[in-house]
């Protein structure tokens, strides 16, 4: 009896181990979540009844028993060195020259390149394939034993895949937190009043150095392996010739390695790789601070050896830093489309991540309080991903005596209406509505924008003039503009006025999703507008829907439903819609599609390259109409990548991951077959 239980425990342990490797390291799903959970629960129950049979690498054993008082120190068998750094192409070429001369090599050197993750270096010790210890880099000679925490990282295998393993295998790599997870983690911390982490690296370091592994287990750490350290007794011979081949071996043992790892020949190819990674930097989904370049041949590595504390065969090409120090000169308050008042920091201009930054958002009063920031302070400004610059820290020790408090205005800085703050909400709002010129301008800018009514040539400056001169007081006024009105505006010649009038006219024939989006209902973005249009088919059906009916729409929750109800109940908004229809805005109603008639329902597709038959936004809208989720990044879970002309890294990644690639024509055929052409 107990034999069969033991066999089942072993079977479940192996099965869950494989599934988890596929999910966390290969980005593929081998079983539905519900089935994984069921098997996991079965294993928990069996282990509770037969604790003697619990395997050290059981997925139930990731979180250790009790918190530690402090970490013990561990001396690295081989020191964890640092890397020489290069900031320019010239320095990379010098590196190449140095090693070519030292190797007395006439032919081009083969290098192995990968992005340099901005996390925390971590050394994993596997004995006969089982994870026994994890140690931080520390000072390079002695680190801290963080085994309890490293065991909670899902992409760290507790047991290596395969049957035969060296008695001891040390794997080195980087523990890091992906950007999306970092944002979620800080959102949660902010909501519960906890301290926020300034950046993903601090978050990774803080998480790895938690004394309570239960807390660490809730932190979204990942691990990516980049080299082999100490190895003892190897039956299973590790590749002895190439660094790249070794990393592939690590991958087959169940470790994640960089998906962007590339073997290239010659320094020009290295430089091209660095340019390519720098271009992709904001879209990678994790923070990097450069590229690491290593001589691929292990024999050449050995011949080159080490200088001081760094290998001679490797170099880190550093990218521009994404954080810099600067001074807060002043704070201005901007009024948005919905009346939200946002404090905007005016900064002494500074280069961050290759771009000059002179403004950063301070979000709201809570953020000002949290940072404890004053005008005159020295601050750390951060610009990462495609997120707007943020102030992440104040250097209190550098506060000048004349630093002074930021005073939030009691009245709207534009229309002087009262500022209201709903209890429980962080945002303060101007109560002026469309009486407030700032809100009116922002509403009109949104209404005419590309994804809304798409009026070409009606840019921000022009909208501001039209509102300032009271030519536009409501969106419908745009459609009654005429030549004499336009000609009176700054920098508006007859030719451009005529062009604008034509653009205004052609925008009046629109689509229901565009019109709903253009109305600027709070929390109703492009995707929600599309979902509403597809679900209800017509504007009256949306305007008259009950809360229950609204909640049945994809992506519509209580808050969005409330905003929709109050928008359509407001007589002023009803009048705006009636006026717009009166001046000729029209759109065809939509035939409501059943979910089952959506051939791409539940699938994620990625558009890349230049399309010739239609713009990317139009293709995206049609794909969404067919049920697809359109994503900006390719993973093994992507259903298809649609590649237009000059497709680059996303196409390459799709090929690497065996994700199907469709031509633009295949996409158009699908549109035709499904009546969304
Ligand atoms: O600090 C490091 C980051 C990434 C490294 C490293 C690396 O490879 C991708 N490789 C070595 C050899 C060293 N530090 C010493």
């Amino acid at each position: 009896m107990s034999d069969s239980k033991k066999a089942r425990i072993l079977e479940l342990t192996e099965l869950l181990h494989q599934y988890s490797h596929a999910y966390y390291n290969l980005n593929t799903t081998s079983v539905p979540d519900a089935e994984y959970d069921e098997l996991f629960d079965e294993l928990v129950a069996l282990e509770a009844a037969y604790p003697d049979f619990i395997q050290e690498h059981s997925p139930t054993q990731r979180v250790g028993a009790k918190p530690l008082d402090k970490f013990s120190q561990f001396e690295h068998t081989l020191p964890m060195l640092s890397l020489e750094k290069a900031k320019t192409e010239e320095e990379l070429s010098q590196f190449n020259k140095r090693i070519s001369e030292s190797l007395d090599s006439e032919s081009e050197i083969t290098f192995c390149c990968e992005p340099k993750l901005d996390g925390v270096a971590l050394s994993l010790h596997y004995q006969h394939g089982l994870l026994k210890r994890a140690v931080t880099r520390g000072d390079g000679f002695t680190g801290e034993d963080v085994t309890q925490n490293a065991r909670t990282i899902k992409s760290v295998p507790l047991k290596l895949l395969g049957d035969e393993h060296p008695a001891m295998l040390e794997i080195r790599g980087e523990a890091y937190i992906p950007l999306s997870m970092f944002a979620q983690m800080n959102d949660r911390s902010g909501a519960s009043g906890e301290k926020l982490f300034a950046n993903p690296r601090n978050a990774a370091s803080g998480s790895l150095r938690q004394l309570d592994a239960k807390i660490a287990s809730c932190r979204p750490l990942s691990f990516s392996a980049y080299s082999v350290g100490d190895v003892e007794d190897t039956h299973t011979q590790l590749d002895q010739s190439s660094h790249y081949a070794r990393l592939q071996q690590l991958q087959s043992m169940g470790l994640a390695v960089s998906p962007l790892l590339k073997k290239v020949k010659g320094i020009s190819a290295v430089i091209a790789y660095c340019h390519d990674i720098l271009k992709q930097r904001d879209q990678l989904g994790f923070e990097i601070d450069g590229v690491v370049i290593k001589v691929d041949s292990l024999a050449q590595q050995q011949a080159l050896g080490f200088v001081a504390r760094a290998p001679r065969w490797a170099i880190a090409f550093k990218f521009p830093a994404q954080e810099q120090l600067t001074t807060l000169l002043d704070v201005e308050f901007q009024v948005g489309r919905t009346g939200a008042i946002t404090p905007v920091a005016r900064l002494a201009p500074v280069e961050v991540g290759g771009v000059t930054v002179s403004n950063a958002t301070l979000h709201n009063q809570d953020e000002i309080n949290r940072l404890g920031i004053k005008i005159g302070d020295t601050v750390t400004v951060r610009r990462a991903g495609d997120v707007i610059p943020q102030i992440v820290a104040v250097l209190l020790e550098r506060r000048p005596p004349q630093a002074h408090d930021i005073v939030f205005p009691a009245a709207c800085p534009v229309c002087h209406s009262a500022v209201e703050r709903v209890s429980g909400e962080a945002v303060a709002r101007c109560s002026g509505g469309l009486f407030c010129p700032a809100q009116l301008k922002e509403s009109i800018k949104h209404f005419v924008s590309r994804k809304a009514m798409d009026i070409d040539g009606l840019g921000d400056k022009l909208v501001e003039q039209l509102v300032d001169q009271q030519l536009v007081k409501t969106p419908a006024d745009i459609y009654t503009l005429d030549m004499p009105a336009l000609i009176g505006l700054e920098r508006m010649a007859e030719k451009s006025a005529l062009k604008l009038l034509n653009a205004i006219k052609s925008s009046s024939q629109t689509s229901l999703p565009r019109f709903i989006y253009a109305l600027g209902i709070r929390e109703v973005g492009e995707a929600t507008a599309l979902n509403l249009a597809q679900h209800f088919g017509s504007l009256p059906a949306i305007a008259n829907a009950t809360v229950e009916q609204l909640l049945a729409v994809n992506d519509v929750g209580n808050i969005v439903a409330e905003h929709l109800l109050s928008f359509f109940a407001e007589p002023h908004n009803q009048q705006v819609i009636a006026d717009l229809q009166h001046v000729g805005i029209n759109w065809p109603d939509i035939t409501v599609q059943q979910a089952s008639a959506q051939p791409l329902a539940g699938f994620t597709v990625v558009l890349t390259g230049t399309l010739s038959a239609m713009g990317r936004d139009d293709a995206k809208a049609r794909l969404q109409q067919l049920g697809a989720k359109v994503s900006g990044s390719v993973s093994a879970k992507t259903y298809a990548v649609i590649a237009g002309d000059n497709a680059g890294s996303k196409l390459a990644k799709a090929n690497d991951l065996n994700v199907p690639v469709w031509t633009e024509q295949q996409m158009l055929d699908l549109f035709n077959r499904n009546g969304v052409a």
Side-chain angles (χ1 to χ4, degrees), residues 419-638:
V419 170
E420 293 170 343
R421 186 169 168 183
V422 178
S423 75
E425 262 193 40
V427 182
R429 285 178 202 282
C430 158
S431 56
L434 291 185
F435 162 75
C436 173
Q439 290 190 49
L440 178 60
K441 283 177 187 170
E442 295 310 312
S443 300
I444 301 285
K445 285 178 198 171
H446 172 80
F447 183 81
V448 304
S449 64
R450 201 165 53 83
K451 291 176 180 172
M453 299 303 286
D454 192 20
I455 305 183
D456 202 22
L458 193 39
D460 290 359
K461 289 272 169 308
L462 205 48
V463 170
E464 281 166 23
Q465 283 192 68
L466 290 168
V467 173
D468 286 340
Q469 302 201 12
Q470 304 201 350
L471 289 167
V472 170
K473 293 189 190 124
T474 133
D477 291 343
I478 296 167
Y479 292 87
T480 56
L481 287 170
D482 56 14
M483 204 58 165
L486 290 181
I487 282 295
L489 298 173
E490 239 174 68
R491 278 185 285 142
M492 180 62 76
E494 200 176 313
K495 201 167 152 204
S496 34
L498 202 61
K499 215 165 137 200
L500 178 57
L501 287 174
N502 279 333
I504 292 174
K505 191 157 170 237
S506 59
S507 77
S508 61
Q509 171 68 53
T510 188
S511 70
L512 181 55
R514 275 184 183 278
F515 186 74
I516 297 167
Y517 175 65
L519 290 174
I521 305 164
R522 276 177 62 190
E523 309 282 342
V524 176
E526 208 194 338
T528 309
L530 183 71
N531 289 341
L532 286 163
Q534 282 171 357
H535 186 94
F536 290 104
S538 74
L539 189 64
I542 300 170
N544 296 320
T546 62
V547 177
E548 291 71 28
Q549 288 167 333
L550 290 169
L551 289 174
V553 180
N554 213 356
D555 267 353
V556 174
N558 283 318
I559 293 176
V560 178
E562 279 305 323
H563 287 318
L564 283 160
L565 282 183
S566 60
F567 181 90
F568 287 110
E570 168 65 53
H572 169 82
N573 293 331
Q574 293 167 6
Q575 190 61 47
V576 166
I577 294 171
D579 289 348
L580 283 166
Q581 289 186 299
H582 184 72
V583 294
I585 309 295
N586 67 98
W587 56 86
D589 284 346
I590 292 179
T591 319
V592 178
Q593 297 238 2
Q594 294 305 312
S596 58
Q598 293 189 304
L600 297 179
F603 293 121
T604 301
V605 300
V606 173
L607 281 164
T608 185
T610 312
L611 301 176
S612 47
M614 64 180 70
R616 201 179 269 216
D617 288 336
D618 287 332
K620 182 175 170 186
R622 285 168 173 78
L623 289 164
Q624 286 172 333
Q625 236 175 304
L626 299 182
K629 177 166 177 276
V630 181
S631 163
S633 57
V634 181
S635 76
K637 290 184 192 158
T638 307

Side-chain angles (χ1 to χ4, degrees), residues 190-514:
S192 56
E194 287 167 53
K195 182 179 153 292
L196 303 191
F197 285 106
N199 55 45
R201 179 176 16 88
N202 289 4
S205 167
S207 303
L208 208 53
R209 299 191 68 259
Q210 275 293 332
L211 290 167
D212 186 351
K214 282 205 179 63
I215 298 178
S217 73
C218 304
R219 300 285 173 81
L221 282 162
S222 278
F223 178 80
S224 178
Y226 59 65
S227 69
V228 172
D230 189 25
V231 189
E232 261 173 46
D233 152 49
T234 155
H235 301 296
T236 35
Q237 197 64 42
L238 279 173
D239 188 276
Q240 296 300 325
S241 65
S242 143
H243 174 68
Y244 184 83
R246 274 201 169 175
L247 289 181
Q248 288 193 314
Q249 279 185 310
L250 296 192
Q251 197 172 22
S252 64
M253 291 177 194
L255 286 145
V257 301
S258 173
L260 296 157
L261 185 72
K262 194 169 177 190
K263 200 155 111 165
V264 301
K265 206 164 167 37
I267 201 69
S268 314
V270 166
I271 291 170
Y273 177 87
C274 292
H275 279 296
D276 186 36
I277 297 294
L278 182 57
K279 232 175 30 207
Q280 294 183 50
R281 184 184 198 180
D282 287 350
Q283 281 86 47
L284 289 178
F286 44 81
E287 202 123 288
I288 61 169
D289 56 2
V291 166
V292 179
I293 300 133
K294 294 178 180 166
V295 170
D296 186 55
S297 153
L298 298 183
Q300 287 183 332
Q301 284 191 4
Q302 202 168 13
L304 287 162
F306 298 84
V307 277
R309 296 192 58 191
R312 256 202 207 97
W313 39 263
I315 197 160
F317 182 67
K318 298 288 280 182
F319 287 168
Q322 291 185 305
E323 286 183 11
Q324 290 293 355
L325 293 185
T326 188
T327 311
L328 176 64
L329 301 177
D330 199 4
V331 173
E332 283 171 21
F333 293 87
Q334 276 180 357
V335 185
R337 178 164 60 83
T338 59
I341 297 184
T342 308
V344 179
R346 303 291 178 218
L347 303 167
V350 62
E351 277 256 315
V352 193
V355 170
T356 304
V357 171
S358 41
N359 301 314
T361 176
L362 277 167
H363 300 288
N364 50 50
Q365 179 72 61
D366 291 354
E367 177 74 353
I368 292 174
N369 298 346
R370 189 184 71 74
L371 287 166
I373 189 173
K374 292 184 187 236
I375 294 170
D377 271 338
T378 298
V379 297
T380 307
V381 62
R382 170 180 153 82
R383 195 193 72 88
D386 38 20
V387 180
I388 41 178
Q390 314 272 326
I391 292 175
V392 292
V394 175
L395 278 79
L396 289 177
E397 65 280 14
R398 295 205 195 175
R399 176 166 284 168
Q402 73 277 15
H404 56 279
D405 284 344
I406 298 164
V407 182
F408 218 91
C412 170
V414 178
C415 73
H416 312 293
S417 301
V419 170
E420 293 170 343
R421 186 169 168 183
V422 178
S423 75
E425 262 193 40
V427 182
R429 285 178 202 282
C430 158
S431 56
L434 291 185
F435 162 75
C436 173
Q439 290 190 49
L440 178 60
K441 283 177 187 170
E442 295 310 312
S443 300
I444 301 285
K445 285 178 198 171
H446 172 80
F447 183 81
V448 304
S449 64
R450 201 165 53 83
K451 291 176 180 172
M453 299 303 286
D454 192 20
I455 305 183
D456 202 22
L458 193 39
D460 290 359
K461 289 272 169 308
L462 205 48
V463 170
E464 281 166 23
Q465 283 192 68
L466 290 168
V467 173
D468 286 340
Q469 302 201 12
Q470 304 201 350
L471 289 167
V472 170
K473 293 189 190 124
T474 133
D477 291 343
I478 296 167
Y479 292 87
T480 56
L481 287 170
D482 56 14
M483 204 58 165
L486 290 181
I487 282 295
L489 298 173
E490 239 174 68
R491 278 185 285 142
M492 180 62 76
E494 200 176 313
K495 201 167 152 204
S496 34
L498 202 61
K499 215 165 137 200
L500 178 57
L501 287 174
N502 279 333
I504 292 174
K505 191 157 170 237
S506 59
S507 77
S508 61
Q509 171 68 53
T510 188
S511 70
L512 181 55
R514 275 184 183 278

Side-chain angles (χ1 to χ4, degrees), residues 63-64 66-72 120 136 144-152 177 185 189 194-195 197 202-221:
V63 184
K66 51 181 191 310
L68 302 170
D69 296 328
K70 64 181 181 57
F71 295 112
S72 50
V120 186
T136 60
E144 285 176 321
D145 184 331
V146 291
T147 312
Q148 287 225 41
N149 293 339
R151 285 179 66 89
T152 68
I177 293 185
M185 182 177 155
S189 299
E194 287 167 53
K195 182 179 153 292
F197 285 106
N202 289 4
S205 167
S207 303
L208 208 53
R209 299 191 68 259
Q210 275 293 332
L211 290 167
D212 186 351
K214 282 205 179 63
I215 298 178
S217 73
C218 304
R219 300 285 173 81
L221 282 162

Side-chain angles (χ1 to χ4, degrees), residues 81-83 114 116 174 226-227 292 294 311 313:
L81 302 173
S82 53
L83 288 170
E114 65 179 282
K116 187 169 183 303
E174 201 85 355
Y226 59 65
S227 69
V292 179
K294 294 178 180 166
W313 39 263

